[in-house]
Amino acid sequence: MKTKRRKFPIYAVIILLLSGTTILIFAKTFYDDLQKRWLLQTHPLEFSAQVEEYADEYGLDRFLVYAVIKTESSFDPNAVSNLGARGLMQIMEETFDWISGLRLRESEMSFDDMFKADDNIRYGCYLLAYHLERFGDLDCALAAYFAGDRTVIRWLENPDFSFDGRTLIDIPDPDTRHYIRKVKTAYENYLYLYS
């Protein structure tokens, strides 16, 4: 003997679908809000007077400068890397000497000044703008900021890493690759949060 199945009323199905959709929308909104609050905590606009002044002076996107600072030092003006780079934008002593002596002609400055936010951001912005102008490509400029311009030039001259000598199709150093990815992710987050 066949048992008769009870049909589920159509309005019950609609109510279930609407309830499920409402719960999904609420959960997505809650998640997005939580994610944005976390990003606001981890992507501050600290040292904004200096960032805006020197980004403007050197023709840089201020959000790119913030992304480099976040990646380099997490906004700690007293940061020192294991290689001896100092300050917010992690300036190496050799780089400091090159910028202060040959480029900005500031003989009264010392490497200790790289712990001062104003001086460090000015030097970091100069260096970033120099690499962007020299290479004309964000990935190459960030690679040069991290690994040095001689290294990037060597990569660009190698057909395994560049087809045209101007852009990198592959970055052979995993640390440099990771650095570029981190800066670009931070940059995208800054654009999302503040533009």
PDB file of all heavy atoms in Angstrom, residues 65-88:
ATOM      1  N   VAL A  65      52.818  55.168  -0.118  1.00  0.00           N
ATOM      2  CA  VAL A  65      53.788  55.462   0.952  1.00  0.00           C
ATOM      3  C   VAL A  65      53.340  54.790   2.246  1.00  0.00           C
ATOM      4  O   VAL A  65      54.142  54.146   2.936  1.00  0.00           O
ATOM      5  CB  VAL A  65      53.973  56.981   1.137  1.00  0.00           C
ATOM      6  CG1 VAL A  65      54.905  57.275   2.316  1.00  0.00           C
ATOM      7  CG2 VAL A  65      54.507  57.618  -0.146  1.00  0.00           C
ATOM      8  N   TYR A  66      52.058  54.922   2.585  1.00  0.00           N
ATOM      9  CA  TYR A  66      51.543  54.247   3.788  1.00  0.00           C
ATOM     10  C   TYR A  66      51.756  52.731   3.695  1.00  0.00           C
ATOM     11  O   TYR A  66      52.105  52.082   4.678  1.00  0.00           O
ATOM     12  CB  TYR A  66      50.054  54.526   3.989  1.00  0.00           C
ATOM     13  CG  TYR A  66      49.729  55.888   4.545  1.00  0.00           C
ATOM     14  CD1 TYR A  66      48.924  56.774   3.841  1.00  0.00           C
ATOM     15  CD2 TYR A  66      50.208  56.281   5.794  1.00  0.00           C
ATOM     16  CE1 TYR A  66      48.606  58.022   4.360  1.00  0.00           C
ATOM     17  CE2 TYR A  66      49.899  57.523   6.314  1.00  0.00           C
ATOM     18  CZ  TYR A  66      49.094  58.390   5.591  1.00  0.00           C
ATOM     19  OH  TYR A  66      48.788  59.624   6.119  1.00  0.00           O
ATOM     20  N   ALA A  67      51.537  52.170   2.509  1.00  0.00           N
ATOM     21  CA  ALA A  67      51.693  50.721   2.330  1.00  0.00           C
ATOM     22  C   ALA A  67      53.140  50.296   2.547  1.00  0.00           C
ATOM     23  O   ALA A  67      53.404  49.253   3.158  1.00  0.00           O
ATOM     24  CB  ALA A  67      51.214  50.311   0.938  1.00  0.00           C
ATOM     25  N   VAL A  68      54.089  51.097   2.066  1.00  0.00           N
ATOM     26  CA  VAL A  68      55.498  50.779   2.271  1.00  0.00           C
ATOM     27  C   VAL A  68      55.846  50.872   3.755  1.00  0.00           C
ATOM     28  O   VAL A  68      56.510  49.990   4.307  1.00  0.00           O
ATOM     29  CB  VAL A  68      56.408  51.695   1.418  1.00  0.00           C
ATOM     30  CG1 VAL A  68      57.877  51.539   1.814  1.00  0.00           C
ATOM     31  CG2 VAL A  68      56.225  51.386  -0.074  1.00  0.00           C
ATOM     32  N   ILE A  69      55.370  51.926   4.422  1.00  0.00           N
ATOM     33  CA  ILE A  69      55.654  52.071   5.860  1.00  0.00           C
ATOM     34  C   ILE A  69      55.064  50.906   6.644  1.00  0.00           C
ATOM     35  O   ILE A  69      55.727  50.333   7.511  1.00  0.00           O
ATOM     36  CB  ILE A  69      55.122  53.418   6.399  1.00  0.00           C
ATOM     37  CG1 ILE A  69      55.893  54.586   5.785  1.00  0.00           C
ATOM     38  CG2 ILE A  69      55.212  53.467   7.927  1.00  0.00           C
ATOM     39  CD1 ILE A  69      55.315  55.959   6.101  1.00  0.00           C
ATOM     40  N   LYS A  70      53.820  50.547   6.328  1.00  0.00           N
ATOM     41  CA  LYS A  70      53.195  49.423   7.028  1.00  0.00           C
ATOM     42  C   LYS A  70      54.005  48.153   6.839  1.00  0.00           C
ATOM     43  O   LYS A  70      54.257  47.415   7.787  1.00  0.00           O
ATOM     44  CB  LYS A  70      51.763  49.198   6.547  1.00  0.00           C
ATOM     45  CG  LYS A  70      51.147  47.979   7.208  1.00  0.00           C
ATOM     46  CD  LYS A  70      49.794  47.648   6.746  1.00  0.00           C
ATOM     47  CE  LYS A  70      49.266  46.351   7.308  1.00  0.00           C
ATOM     48  NZ  LYS A  70      49.829  45.846   8.532  1.00  0.00           N
ATOM     49  N   THR A  71      54.433  47.896   5.617  1.00  0.00           N
ATOM     50  CA  THR A  71      55.179  46.684   5.308  1.00  0.00           C
ATOM     51  C   THR A  71      56.574  46.706   5.928  1.00  0.00           C
ATOM     52  O   THR A  71      57.036  45.696   6.457  1.00  0.00           O
ATOM     53  CB  THR A  71      55.286  46.503   3.781  1.00  0.00           C
ATOM     54  OG1 THR A  71      53.960  46.481   3.232  1.00  0.00           O
ATOM     55  CG2 THR A  71      55.993  45.216   3.422  1.00  0.00           C
ATOM     56  N   GLU A  72      57.226  47.840   5.865  1.00  0.00           N
ATOM     57  CA  GLU A  72      58.608  47.943   6.338  1.00  0.00           C
ATOM     58  C   GLU A  72      58.732  47.918   7.858  1.00  0.00           C
ATOM     59  O   GLU A  72      59.608  47.262   8.399  1.00  0.00           O
ATOM     60  CB  GLU A  72      59.266  49.221   5.798  1.00  0.00           C
ATOM     61  CG  GLU A  72      59.563  49.195   4.313  1.00  0.00           C
ATOM     62  CD  GLU A  72      60.753  48.326   3.950  1.00  0.00           C
ATOM     63  OE1 GLU A  72      61.424  47.786   4.843  1.00  0.00           O
ATOM     64  OE2 GLU A  72      61.023  48.197   2.749  1.00  0.00           O
ATOM     65  N   SER A  73      57.866  48.666   8.552  1.00  0.00           N
ATOM     66  CA  SER A  73      58.080  48.856  10.000  1.00  0.00           C
ATOM     67  C   SER A  73      56.826  48.758  10.852  1.00  0.00           C
ATOM     68  O   SER A  73      56.915  48.886  12.071  1.00  0.00           O
ATOM     69  CB  SER A  73      58.707  50.235  10.244  1.00  0.00           C
ATOM     70  OG  SER A  73      57.756  51.246   9.926  1.00  0.00           O
ATOM     71  N   SER A  74      55.673  48.583  10.241  1.00  0.00           N
ATOM     72  CA  SER A  74      54.394  48.625  10.972  1.00  0.00           C
ATOM     73  C   SER A  74      54.285  49.904  11.809  1.00  0.00           C
ATOM     74  O   SER A  74      53.822  49.893  12.932  1.00  0.00           O
ATOM     75  CB  SER A  74      54.211  47.394  11.851  1.00  0.00           C
ATOM     76  OG  SER A  74      54.035  46.262  11.053  1.00  0.00           O
ATOM     77  N   PHE A  75      54.772  51.003  11.235  1.00  0.00           N
ATOM     78  CA  PHE A  75      54.670  52.337  11.827  1.00  0.00           C
ATOM     79  C   PHE A  75      55.480  52.505  13.108  1.00  0.00           C
ATOM     80  O   PHE A  75      55.160  53.324  13.944  1.00  0.00           O
ATOM     81  CB  PHE A  75      53.197  52.721  12.041  1.00  0.00           C
ATOM     82  CG  PHE A  75      52.461  52.887  10.746  1.00  0.00           C
ATOM     83  CD1 PHE A  75      51.824  51.813  10.149  1.00  0.00           C
ATOM     84  CD2 PHE A  75      52.438  54.109  10.098  1.00  0.00           C
ATOM     85  CE1 PHE A  75      51.170  51.947   8.919  1.00  0.00           C
ATOM     86  CE2 PHE A  75      51.794  54.262   8.877  1.00  0.00           C
ATOM     87  CZ  PHE A  75      51.158  53.185   8.291  1.00  0.00           C
ATOM     88  N   ASP A  76      56.553  51.749  13.244  1.00  0.00           N
ATOM     89  CA  ASP A  76      57.455  51.894  14.393  1.00  0.00           C
ATOM     90  C   ASP A  76      58.667  52.725  13.966  1.00  0.00           C
ATOM     91  O   ASP A  76      59.526  52.228  13.241  1.00  0.00           O
ATOM     92  CB  ASP A  76      57.911  50.519  14.888  1.00  0.00           C
ATOM     93  CG  ASP A  76      58.883  50.595  16.055  1.00  0.00           C
ATOM     94  OD1 ASP A  76      59.189  51.721  16.536  1.00  0.00           O
ATOM     95  OD2 ASP A  76      59.358  49.537  16.493  1.00  0.00           O
ATOM     96  N   PRO A  77      58.761  53.990  14.416  1.00  0.00           N
ATOM     97  CA  PRO A  77      59.884  54.835  13.988  1.00  0.00           C
ATOM     98  C   PRO A  77      61.240  54.353  14.507  1.00  0.00           C
ATOM     99  O   PRO A  77      62.277  54.765  13.994  1.00  0.00           O
ATOM    100  CB  PRO A  77      59.541  56.217  14.554  1.00  0.00           C
ATOM    101  CG  PRO A  77      58.561  55.967  15.640  1.00  0.00           C
ATOM    102  CD  PRO A  77      57.839  54.686  15.300  1.00  0.00           C
ATOM    103  N   ASN A  78      61.240  53.481  15.494  1.00  0.00           N
ATOM    104  CA  ASN A  78      62.490  52.968  16.059  1.00  0.00           C
ATOM    105  C   ASN A  78      62.851  51.576  15.538  1.00  0.00           C
ATOM    106  O   ASN A  78      63.763  50.933  16.057  1.00  0.00           O
ATOM    107  CB  ASN A  78      62.409  52.934  17.589  1.00  0.00           C
ATOM    108  CG  ASN A  78      62.219  54.328  18.156  1.00  0.00           C
ATOM    109  OD1 ASN A  78      62.948  55.245  17.803  1.00  0.00           O
ATOM    110  ND2 ASN A  78      61.216  54.494  18.996  1.00  0.00           N
ATOM    111  N   ALA A  79      62.154  51.121  14.520  1.00  0.00           N
ATOM    112  CA  ALA A  79      62.403  49.782  13.968  1.00  0.00           C
ATOM    113  C   ALA A  79      63.813  49.687  13.395  1.00  0.00           C
ATOM    114  O   ALA A  79      64.304  50.619  12.758  1.00  0.00           O
ATOM    115  CB  ALA A  79      61.375  49.469  12.889  1.00  0.00           C
ATOM    116  N   VAL A  80      64.437  48.547  13.640  1.00  0.00           N
ATOM    117  CA  VAL A  80      65.753  48.237  13.067  1.00  0.00           C
ATOM    118  C   VAL A  80      65.675  46.821  12.519  1.00  0.00           C
ATOM    119  O   VAL A  80      65.300  45.893  13.232  1.00  0.00           O
ATOM    120  CB  VAL A  80      66.883  48.329  14.127  1.00  0.00           C
ATOM    121  CG1 VAL A  80      68.229  47.966  13.506  1.00  0.00           C
ATOM    122  CG2 VAL A  80      66.939  49.705  14.765  1.00  0.00           C
ATOM    123  N   SER A  81      66.042  46.658  11.246  1.00  0.00           N
ATOM    124  CA  SER A  81      65.990  45.323  10.643  1.00  0.00           C
ATOM    125  C   SER A  81      67.227  44.532  11.036  1.00  0.00           C
ATOM    126  O   SER A  81      68.197  45.082  11.560  1.00  0.00           O
ATOM    127  CB  SER A  81      65.914  45.435   9.116  1.00  0.00           C
ATOM    128  OG  SER A  81      67.195  45.752   8.591  1.00  0.00           O
ATOM    129  N   ASN A  82      67.207  43.239  10.735  1.00  0.00           N
ATOM    130  CA  ASN A  82      68.371  42.405  11.031  1.00  0.00           C
ATOM    131  C   ASN A  82      69.567  42.772  10.156  1.00  0.00           C
ATOM    132  O   ASN A  82      70.692  42.375  10.441  1.00  0.00           O
ATOM    133  CB  ASN A  82      68.032  40.913  10.894  1.00  0.00           C
ATOM    134  CG  ASN A  82      67.512  40.564   9.516  1.00  0.00           C
ATOM    135  OD1 ASN A  82      67.179  41.446   8.726  1.00  0.00           O
ATOM    136  ND2 ASN A  82      67.435  39.294   9.226  1.00  0.00           N
ATOM    137  N   LEU A  83      69.340  43.573   9.091  1.00  0.00           N
ATOM    138  CA  LEU A  83      70.435  44.045   8.242  1.00  0.00           C
ATOM    139  C   LEU A  83      70.876  45.465   8.616  1.00  0.00           C
ATOM    140  O   LEU A  83      71.785  46.016   7.992  1.00  0.00           O
ATOM    141  CB  LEU A  83      70.037  44.005   6.762  1.00  0.00           C
ATOM    142  CG  LEU A  83      69.754  42.614   6.191  1.00  0.00           C
ATOM    143  CD1 LEU A  83      69.250  42.729   4.763  1.00  0.00           C
ATOM    144  CD2 LEU A  83      71.009  41.749   6.250  1.00  0.00           C
ATOM    145  N   GLY A  84      70.184  46.055   9.599  1.00  0.00           N
ATOM    146  CA  GLY A  84      70.576  47.380  10.062  1.00  0.00           C
ATOM    147  C   GLY A  84      69.791  48.537   9.476  1.00  0.00           C
ATOM    148  O   GLY A  84      70.111  49.703   9.749  1.00  0.00           O
ATOM    149  N   ALA A  85      68.753  48.258   8.673  1.00  0.00           N
ATOM    150  CA  ALA A  85      67.914  49.336   8.147  1.00  0.00           C
ATOM    151  C   ALA A  85      67.152  49.973   9.300  1.00  0.00           C
ATOM    152  O   ALA A  85      66.778  49.292  10.260  1.00  0.00           O
ATOM    153  CB  ALA A  85      66.948  48.792   7.100  1.00  0.00           C
ATOM    154  N   ARG A  86      66.927  51.288   9.194  1.00  0.00           N
ATOM    155  CA  ARG A  86      66.341  52.015  10.320  1.00  0.00           C
ATOM    156  C   ARG A  86      65.062  52.754   9.966  1.00  0.00           C
ATOM    157  O   ARG A  86      64.895  53.233   8.849  1.00  0.00           O
ATOM    158  CB  ARG A  86      67.344  53.047  10.840  1.00  0.00           C
ATOM    159  CG  ARG A  86      68.542  52.450  11.499  1.00  0.00           C
ATOM    160  CD  ARG A  86      69.434  53.532  12.044  1.00  0.00           C
ATOM    161  NE  ARG A  86      70.569  52.947  12.741  1.00  0.00           N
ATOM    162  CZ  ARG A  86      71.531  53.653  13.297  1.00  0.00           C
ATOM    163  NH1 ARG A  86      71.503  54.961  13.256  1.00  0.00           N
ATOM    164  NH2 ARG A  86      72.537  53.042  13.911  1.00  0.00           N
ATOM    165  N   GLY A  87      64.213  52.854  10.977  1.00  0.00           N
ATOM    166  CA  GLY A  87      63.076  53.757  10.917  1.00  0.00           C
ATOM    167  C   GLY A  87      61.870  53.238  10.170  1.00  0.00           C
ATOM    168  O   GLY A  87      61.780  52.075   9.807  1.00  0.00           O
ATOM    169  N   LEU A  88      60.949  54.168   9.964  1.00  0.00           N
ATOM    170  CA  LEU A  88      59.648  53.847   9.393  1.00  0.00           C
ATOM    171  C   LEU A  88      59.736  53.204   8.009  1.00  0.00           C
ATOM    172  O   LEU A  88      59.028  52.251   7.713  1.00  0.00           O
ATOM    173  CB  LEU A  88      58.791  55.112   9.303  1.00  0.00           C
ATOM    174  CG  LEU A  88      58.353  55.695  10.641  1.00  0.00           C
ATOM    175  CD1 LEU A  88      57.846  57.121  10.466  1.00  0.00           C
ATOM    176  CD2 LEU A  88      57.277  54.819  11.275  1.00  0.00           C
TER     177      LEU A  88
END
